[in-house]
Amino acid sequence: MTDTLDDLDVEGTTVGVRIDVNSPIGDDGMLADDARLRAHVDTLSELIERGGRVAVLAHQGRPGGDDFVTLESHADRLSELLDHPVDYVDATFSAAAREAVSNLENGDCVVLENTRFYSEEYMEFEPERAARTHLVTGLEPVLDAYVNDAFAAAHRSQPSLVGFPTVLPGYAGRVMEAELDTLGSIEETPEPRIYVLGGAKVSDSIDVAWSVLEKGLADHVLTAGVVGNVFLIADGVDLGDASSDFIYDQGYWDEIDRAADLLDAYGEQVALPRDVAVERDGQRHELGINALPPQDDEAAMDIGSSTLAYYERLLEDAGTVILNGPAGVFEDEAFEMGTRRLYNAATDVETSIVGGGDTASALRQLGVEGFSHVSTGGGAALRMLTAEPLPAVTALENGPTQQQPADD
């Protein structure tokens, strides 16, 4: 069991809080979407209101990317969302960072600099080694406790995620707690249980399909997006050169054999698209499976109307639906129909759970609401659905094993 904020005596306690606010950045270098910041408002506001001294740790972007920016605008937006002053310091574990944390009073909050500005934060470690990194050894002396609310990053083992709970009492924040409660108890949700696997995370989706079918957690698996295209090819359907070349170029070709093996084992429970939508003469054009392959330059961009009617009928009888990944290129208005209709149908199911990442982005863009739970994590959610351990959660559960470690 993981301790939560209910187990933490907050008042007067200096708490390092790891959140995940990795967000789209506009051309002006400022935040373009604050959805991930909003997710952590409950955790941060509770710690502040209970008299904690809050030091926020987070990452933004990857080295070399246009979104690899400071967290100054994140701090400004958090201050607005929390309706409470939030300071920012352009240091993560240096003397300046320690001074900013040490000077916190009850109810104060400061955002430390982007953890990925520090090279070791971009590496994966075992917890005991992560506890000896400069980040952890630099900040640990000025912290009393550690809270991890970054479920979206929980499948990683970077110092800010697994190092601190090895040397400090660790607790799950409210986002982390809700994710673990929901995704960790899928077997208790109403039946029949249907998984809708779309998007482009082909390998992960096949892992999920194998896992839930083997364990009897799924009555049906519906495929769409690039995942659906891989399954169609595995079933012997000729999707044409454009779709096949994309799958090959993305490194998914070897997944076709895995998809074929899954169909051999559980074919009656795995639903494949019955038609696809391509772009022809600048318009959406739907082709049934028997009308394939399309013209050479036409790629499958969405599932078609026949597939949607079929999937919607299956969802009408579902007790639980778990959605991960869009049905097509939802960013293009001509090909948003599959994703929109599937998601809308899912909202009518008694229990509806949505994976994060591209799925959550699609929800926001299409304005679809009404789900039982929308996860903040893509890769982390998929990993939980296959019952694989999450390193950051395991580190919290194991608790402190070292005290004031010294670097090598």
Side-chain angles (χ1 to χ4, degrees):
M1 289 290 292
T2 303
D3 286 341
T4 71
L5 299 189
D6 295 333
D7 303 298
L8 174 60
D9 184 5
V10 177
E11 186 172 3
T13 299
T14 304
V15 187
V17 185
R18 180 59 159 95
I19 62 176
D20 191 316
V21 292
N22 192 24
S23 305
I25 301 296
D27 294 337
D28 59 357
M30 304 297 285
L31 278 170
D33 185 332
D34 66 1
R36 285 200 164 182
L37 283 75
R38 290 178 180 275
H40 296 289
V41 165
D42 286 350
T43 294
L44 295 176
S45 61
E46 179 178 343
L47 289 170
I48 290 168
E49 290 168 6
R50 290 173 59 187
R53 305 176 180 192
V54 181
V56 175
L57 290 156
H59 73 274
Q60 171 62 54
R62 296 171 180 268
D66 292 337
D67 61 348
F68 194 50
V69 299
T70 77
L71 297 185
E72 185 170 10
S73 65
H74 299 64
D76 291 342
R77 184 61 183 137
L78 279 173
S79 183
E80 295 171 357
L81 293 172
L82 294 168
D83 192 23
H84 185 88
V86 174
D87 293 329
Y88 159 77
V89 61
D90 61 350
T92 310
F93 60 87
S94 65
R98 289 192 294 274
E99 182 179 4
V101 174
S102 296
N103 288 339
L104 292 172
E105 301 289 343
N106 291 7
D108 285 352
C109 180
V110 63
V111 173
L112 303 178
E113 188 55 281
N114 188 344
T115 58
R116 284 189 178 173
F117 282 6
Y118 161 56
S119 60
E120 283 186 313
E121 178 67 4
Y122 201 64
M123 302 165 68
E124 304 269 335
F125 295 96
E126 290 297 320
E128 291 74 16
R129 180 61 187 87
R132 301 199 302 273
T133 58
H134 296 287
L135 173 65
V136 178
T137 57
L139 278 181
E140 184 263 346
V142 295
L143 298 175
D144 301 315
Y146 170 79
V147 170
N148 193 340
D149 211 31
F151 175 78
H155 57 307
R156 305 195 182 280
S157 56
Q158 291 153 349
S160 68
L161 296 161
V162 301
F164 286 107
T166 305
V167 294
L168 291 168
Y171 304 85
R174 296 308 184 193
V175 169
M176 180 74 78
E177 180 185 4
E179 296 277 14
L180 298 180
D181 286 348
T182 300
L183 299 178
S185 57
I186 293 294
E187 70 281 358
E188 299 173 11
T189 56
E191 298 179 298
R193 198 176 294 118
I194 293 178
Y195 283 70
V196 181
L197 301 178
K201 292 186 176 179
V202 177
S203 179
D204 289 341
S205 294
I206 293 175
D207 287 344
V208 170
W210 269 112
S211 177
V212 298
L213 288 168
E214 285 180 338
K215 295 172 182 174
L217 294 176
D219 295 279
H220 294 284
V221 172
L222 316 186
T223 63
V226 180
V227 175
N229 293 345
V230 167
F231 273 91
L232 285 173
I233 294 174
D235 199 41
V237 175
D238 186 352
L239 278 181
D241 291 342
S243 292
S244 297
D245 288 348
F246 176 82
I247 288 168
Y248 182 83
D249 291 342
Q250 296 298 309
Y252 300 145
W253 202 254
D254 290 343
E255 302 300 329
I256 293 172
D257 288 340
R258 294 182 64 218
D261 291 341
L262 185 67
L263 291 175
D264 286 342
Y266 298 101
E268 292 184 0
Q269 294 173 265
V270 180
L272 308 185
R274 294 182 172 183
D275 57 351
V276 299
V278 301
E279 182 176 350
R280 181 172 295 178
D281 299 326
Q283 302 290 325
R284 179 187 177 99
H285 184 79
E286 296 188 359
L287 296 169
I289 297 302
N290 293 332
L292 295 171
Q295 298 174 12
D296 288 346
D297 61 344
E298 295 176 346
M301 305 282 279
D302 194 10
I303 56 177
S305 301
S306 177
T307 304
L308 282 166
Y310 171 39
Y311 286 1
E312 285 167 344
R313 286 197 301 273
L314 290 172
L315 289 172
E316 284 178 0
D317 298 326
T320 299
V321 58
I322 297 97
L323 290 155
N324 199 87
V329 186
F330 68 90
E331 299 90 345
D332 187 325
E333 187 175 351
F335 302 105
E336 69 167 27
M337 183 176 76
T339 303
R340 182 185 295 278
R341 280 182 52 180
L342 258 186
Y343 288 9
N344 275 323
T347 63
D348 293 329
V349 178
E350 179 181 352
T351 299
S352 51
I353 299 170
V354 180
D358 290 342
T359 320
S361 297
L363 292 184
R364 291 195 295 273
Q365 178 169 322
L366 300 176
V368 182
E369 300 178 342
F371 297 95
S372 306
H373 179 77
V374 178
S375 177
T376 58
L382 283 171
R383 194 154 177 173
M384 274 209 77
L385 292 174
T386 58
E388 290 291 320
L390 298 175
V393 176
T394 301
L396 284 178
E397 292 172 341
N398 289 343
T401 60
Q402 301 181 21
Q403 293 297 325
Q404 297 182 332
D407 203 355
D408 289 341

